[in-house]
Amino acid sequence: MRQIGREPVFVERGEGCELVDVDGNRYLDWVGSWGPLILGHADPNVLAAVERAAARGTSFGAATAAEVELAEEVAARVPSIEMVRMTSSGTEAAMSAARLARAVTGREVVVKFAGAYHGHSDGLLATAGSGLATLAIPGSPGVTAAQAAGTVVVPWNDRDAVERALSGHSVAAVLAEPIAANMGVVPPEEGFLELLRTACDATGALLVFDEVITGFRVARGGAQQLYGIEPDLTVMGKVIGGGLPAAAFGGPRELMERIAPAGDVYQAGTLSGNPLATAAGLATLRALDDAAYERLATLTDRLAAGLARLAEGRPLQLATAPGLLTLFFSEQPVADFAAAAACDLDAHARFCRAMLDRGVYPPPSQFEAWFVSLAHDEDSIDRTLEAAAEALNA
Ligand SMILES: *Cc1c(COP(=O)(O)O)cnc(C)c1O
């Protein structure tokens, strides 16, 4: 909120697609806790599942049926995943997937994309999107040179740079958000994910998709289903926890069995696979059937079409994927982080303030996605578009 020149909103409660702040102001919420709340706030089925689980105890440090059911649900949706390791955050899941990739390849370098965000583990902070982009922090003090040296950063959608990085280093993994969504939404250009797959196969690097945002959102099986590209490992978070702290990584049995205790690659977490979080995640995923994805796409299309109409004749670019969109304050289409960073951030900030003044809460950063939920409806979209028309004119 500081970046858009506004006081923070202190939330009192959420109801469906709305937030109520401590002063009683209501906002149409397009942030959705930055991705997990695909069913909206305080979904009755998710709350009931959490309450039932809580009544039986909040953490055991031993196996429960629910974490197996959640792993089975994930594996049924995502064919590239045979085994799942639960964590409490996307940060841990991405960090552990990188460790596993280094262990199985015996190589050190991880290639990531400028403006992509994979959580805040030391090695993956280089030129990261999300909050680091919002605050214009290119790296972070406290990260050692040795840790930074294990990460090579290349521009998103730049085929030559990917090929150079893979031929110039001994690369353990290419780590990508298959639809970049932490520099604003920047889909892969035609053929780019295919190139990542073939370049990894040619050099023996693992392809790791960070589907923390796209997983269970853009399609039943995530972006890998939408684009028909199978990664070696997948990082999941946000929707998989249904608004509680759960995340995971997964892949084929042969790779995942390297993880302790089956194998020698250490990974652990006191609250991983926590019964409350797995209950919320399962209740959320079970609500996400084919009809739900159709509805989410319909709602996203309506919002996107309305914003695209408003963008005509203005220096605005609309980027969208199912359940996600970004309105870039830019004359040029945005295909990478350099283009996103060149947006008119002052105009974007004024737009966000004008929206908040009208009771609509867009992500208060040019480098974050709007998150559409199933609690939104035609009415909330039309009210948002009215506010957007006024805000752009103002
Ligand atoms: C949010 C996010 C993460 C980090 O997840 P946390 O649960 O916040 O640690 C990692 N990768 C991507 C793509 C994300 O959007």
Side-chain angles (χ1 to χ4, degrees):
M1 285 294 176
R2 180 190 296 167
Q3 300 310 308
I4 65 159
R6 200 180 187 280
E7 294 295 315
V9 170
F10 276 74
V11 177
E12 198 266 321
R13 66 182 186 281
E15 294 172 0
C17 67
E18 294 194 330
L19 286 178
V20 183
D21 74 12
V22 290
D23 298 320
N25 298 308
R26 274 183 180 271
Y27 301 91
L28 272 172
D29 179 21
W30 292 103
V31 177
S33 187
W34 306 103
L37 299 181
I38 197 165
L39 305 181
H41 295 280
D43 176 78
N45 290 325
V46 173
L47 290 188
V50 171
E51 280 166 13
R52 276 195 305 275
R56 293 192 297 264
T58 57
S59 181
F60 309 116
T64 61
E67 63 185 320
V68 178
E69 287 170 43
L70 183 54
E72 283 172 345
E73 178 74 38
V74 169
R77 286 166 172 261
V78 188
S80 70
I81 297 177
E82 289 175 341
M83 290 182 82
V84 176
R85 171 57 57 95
M86 301 292 304
T87 66
S88 297
S89 67
T91 296
E92 292 165 79
M95 176 181 79
S96 300
R99 180 179 304 144
L100 177 60
R102 287 181 167 119
V104 298
T105 59
R107 303 172 179 181
E108 297 218 335
V109 170
V110 169
V111 172
K112 80 173 279 289
F113 294 94
Y117 181 66
H118 304 293
H120 57 89
S121 70
D122 286 328
L124 298 177
L125 276 182
T127 322
S130 191
L132 289 94
T134 305
L135 301 174
I137 299 173
S140 176
V143 175
T144 66
Q147 277 157 336
T151 308
V152 168
V153 181
V154 298
W156 181 235
N157 278 325
D158 186 335
R159 292 154 187 258
D160 293 344
V162 169
E163 284 177 338
R164 271 198 307 277
L166 279 162
S167 59
H169 304 272
S170 181
V171 174
V174 173
L175 175 56
E177 299 179 59
I179 300 170
N182 280 294
M183 52 177 117
V185 174
V186 185
E189 283 176 355
E190 179 86 40
F192 188 65
L193 297 181
E194 284 84 347
L195 171 93
L196 298 186
R197 184 65 275 177
T198 51
C200 283
D201 288 342
T203 57
L206 298 190
L207 179 59
V208 183
F209 276 176
D210 181 343
E211 296 230 38
V212 170
I213 283 181
T214 53
F216 317 115
R217 172 173 288 278
V218 300
R220 195 171 179 275
Q224 54 194 277
Q225 177 191 334
L226 200 63
Y227 287 93
I229 304 290
E230 286 211 344
D232 297 295
L233 294 172
T234 301
V235 181
M236 295 157 275
K238 300 199 166 111
V239 169
I240 199 178
L244 271 81
F249 62 108
R253 177 172 296 277
E254 140 198 40
L255 293 180
M256 294 302 289
E257 280 187 337
R258 275 298 300 273
I259 299 165
D264 56 354
V265 179
Y266 194 67
Q267 196 284 330
T270 302
L271 296 176
S272 297
N274 172 270
L276 271 59
T278 47
L282 261 178
T284 299
L285 291 186
R286 285 180 177 160
L288 294 172
D289 56 10
D290 291 343
Y293 287 106
E294 258 176 56
R295 175 75 180 147
L296 193 65
T298 302
L299 292 171
T300 311
D301 287 349
R302 186 185 185 94
L303 179 61
L307 289 173
R309 268 195 307 279
L310 296 176
E312 269 169 38
R314 299 181 201 263
L316 296 171
Q317 309 290 328
L318 189 75
T320 179
L324 296 168
L325 63 79
T326 295
L327 190 60
F328 286 110
F329 283 66
S330 168
E331 306 264 3
Q332 317 296 336
V334 173
D336 60 17
F337 185 48
C343 284
D344 185 342
L345 301 183
D346 286 341
H348 178 265
R350 288 198 302 279
F351 172 72
C352 288
R353 290 202 303 272
M355 291 294 270
L356 283 157
D357 288 346
R358 288 164 177 78
V360 180
Y361 192 145
S365 165
Q366 182 69 93
F367 308 108
E368 304 278 7
W370 296 48
F371 290 95
V372 182
S373 82
L374 292 162
H376 290 104
D377 58 12
E378 282 73 7
D379 176 59
S380 53
I381 290 169
D382 295 347
R383 279 156 58 206
T384 299
L385 292 172
E386 274 169 41
E390 287 180 19
L392 289 170
N393 286 334

